[in-house]
Amino acid sequence: MAAIELLPQDLFNQIALELDIANICALALTSRRLHRLSRCDMLWIDKIVEDFGDRDLIVDLLTDAGVDIVENVNASTQLVPWKLQQQSHDSLHAGMECYRSRFLRVFPASEDDRLNYARDSETKIDQVKLMLRDGPETGDDTFAEAAYRLILVQEYFPTSAECYYLWALICYMQNALSTSTTLLDIGYSLDSDFLPIQELMAEVQSMKEGVHGASGEAPLLNATCTRPSAQLTRVLAIIFQRLDRDRDGVLNASELAAMVKITNGQPAPPGMVMQIINSFGGQIQTLSGRRVTGWNPDSLASFFVAQTMQDPKETRQDLAKFGFDPHTLQSNQHL
């Protein structure tokens, strides 16, 4: 008996995953024991991931970015199952059959099928690009539908760098910079010459440096880009106190107009103050219990998070106008 026949299933699977399909099949024909080992469901499910990409990883990354396609993907009848819990119990070798079905989609037997799959995928990608034309203003449902359609493309073209680029773009629009970078890295590993990936990589890196700080700079936001960093939180608390002239815990219209004048260098245009109040604040209860129209500290934080994700340089410039070093966020004056 050959040494490989003595291996437990998990170690055999690790070795088999390094082989191509022809070699696995040839190995299976050498003995009954190896034939049985090579029919393991988990081996073929792992082989799907190895050869055609990790769909669970993609779904998890999108979920982390706020793009929920779990239900769509799990309920889809257009996708070959790719994990054991999706298999029917009456299938003796479900994993192998799933691999075979996926293999025939990626490597169709006929030229007509290949051309049809290519045309259908190009149509879906064009649809996704149209769905994303509104940029960050695209709704969550549309982001999810676009991401799911790319899953349908990846079913037939697992090495499509364009799919990973568009997933990364969706995450970037959701302000999920780290997730976007991870997807771009995968896409780059598939096709390092795909120019849109290179361009988005540079843009995301520039944004990360602005948001999280280049060498020696204090970060503006937390790791998930959802809240101000600890340093910016401290600065905003000081700014809020300065602007809150009547000390009622709310920045009213006149106090917000003063903020606009400081940052813009001129009085706020008519209607601008009410617009920013409505965008980040509203009817706020003061420390004395009255309700006034304006911002509380959370409103100020939300405004700076939104502005930072649009233009971190502008945020640092605004902080400088309030007397803080734009790089270290330390005060340049006695408070």
Side-chain angles (χ1 to χ4, degrees):
M1 180 179 289
I4 193 172
E5 297 181 69
L6 301 175
L7 292 175
Q9 186 70 63
D10 58 339
L11 292 181
F12 175 84
N13 288 0
Q14 291 180 32
I15 293 172
L17 286 174
E18 299 299 320
L19 305 176
D20 60 27
I21 300 305
N23 284 327
I24 294 176
C25 292
L27 189 63
L29 295 174
T30 59
S31 76
R32 290 181 179 179
R33 167 68 177 168
L34 291 177
H35 183 268
R36 186 166 59 253
L37 287 172
S38 69
R39 303 284 286 187
C40 171
D41 271 345
M42 202 64 238
L43 166 61
W44 292 99
I45 295 299
D46 288 346
K47 191 65 174 166
I48 290 174
V49 173
E50 182 75 17
D51 290 355
F52 307 127
D54 190 343
R55 181 168 294 150
D56 279 339
L57 173 62
I58 296 168
V59 172
D60 288 345
L61 287 170
L62 291 168
T63 300
D64 290 344
V67 183
D68 186 0
I69 62 171
V70 174
E71 185 174 343
N72 285 346
V73 170
N74 288 341
S76 177
T77 59
Q78 301 181 63
L79 301 171
V80 171
W82 68 97
K83 47 190 176 183
L84 288 179
Q85 57 265 41
Q86 296 175 300
Q87 311 313 318
S88 59
H89 296 294
D90 59 355
S91 179
L92 183 60
H93 301 296
M96 181 178 287
E97 291 306 313
C98 287
Y99 184 91
R100 180 178 180 276
S101 297
R102 186 72 185 279
F103 184 91
L104 290 176
R105 289 187 170 190
V106 178
F107 303 104
S110 75
E111 181 66 13
D112 285 345
D113 283 345
R114 188 190 69 79
L115 291 174
N116 287 335
Y117 295 162
R119 280 194 292 265
D120 183 63
S121 294
E122 288 173 3
T123 297
K124 284 185 172 62
I125 285 179
D126 287 342
Q127 291 169 346
V128 167
K129 291 176 180 178
L130 284 174
M131 295 168 78
L132 301 180
R133 65 186 182 278
D134 291 333
E137 302 306 314
T138 303
D140 289 344
D141 290 344
T142 304
F143 276 135
E145 178 61 26
Y148 170 65
R149 292 191 190 190
L150 293 172
I151 290 285
L152 298 180
V153 173
Q154 197 257 358
E155 174 81 355
Y156 295 88
F157 298 94
T159 59
S160 169
E162 190 165 16
C163 283
Y164 286 92
Y165 160 72
L166 290 169
W167 281 321
L169 181 62
I170 290 170
C171 293
Y172 181 51
M173 292 177 180
Q174 292 284 83
N175 297 334
L177 302 184
S178 295
T179 303
S180 181
T181 297
T182 299
L183 289 164
L184 287 170
D185 287 343
I186 298 173
Y188 186 82
S189 71
L190 296 172
D191 185 355
S192 59
D193 294 325
F194 189 60
L195 187 58
I197 283 184
Q198 298 175 17
E199 293 173 343
L200 187 56
M201 274 182 157
E203 187 173 343
V204 173
Q205 182 58 33
S206 176
M207 178 63 74
K208 288 174 72 173
E209 289 179 357
V211 169
H212 299 304
S215 178
E217 286 189 326
L220 294 172
L221 303 182
N222 63 2
T224 58
C225 301
T226 56
R227 296 288 301 168
S229 65
Q231 296 92 322
L232 182 57
T233 297
R234 176 186 60 81
V235 169
L236 294 181
I238 296 171
I239 290 175
F240 191 93
Q241 289 181 340
R242 284 193 200 165
L243 294 171
D244 186 18
R245 298 292 185 181
D246 55 10
R247 296 294 185 265
D248 64 352
V250 176
L251 300 183
N252 58 36
S254 63
E255 291 164 341
L256 285 170
M259 181 190 80
V260 172
K261 186 174 182 180
I262 291 171
T263 55
N264 292 357
Q266 57 187 2
M272 179 180 181
V273 172
M274 285 308 303
Q275 182 179 352
I276 64 173
I277 287 176
N278 293 332
S279 296
F280 299 97
Q283 288 291 311
I284 308 292
Q285 185 170 307
T286 67
L287 296 176
S288 64
R290 293 186 305 110
R291 298 191 69 82
V292 300
T293 301
W295 282 5
N296 59 16
D298 285 342
S299 304
L300 184 66
S302 296
F303 169 79
F304 272 96
V305 168
Q307 176 176 277
T308 299
M309 291 308 302
Q310 290 290 325
D311 187 353
K313 184 181 295 185
E314 183 177 3
T315 292
R316 293 187 186 274
Q317 291 171 347
D318 286 350
L319 297 178
K321 294 171 183 176
F322 280 101
F324 294 90
D325 186 287
H327 306 293
T328 65
L329 306 191
Q330 297 296 313
S331 176
N332 287 329
Q333 55 185 272
H334 297 293
L335 301 177

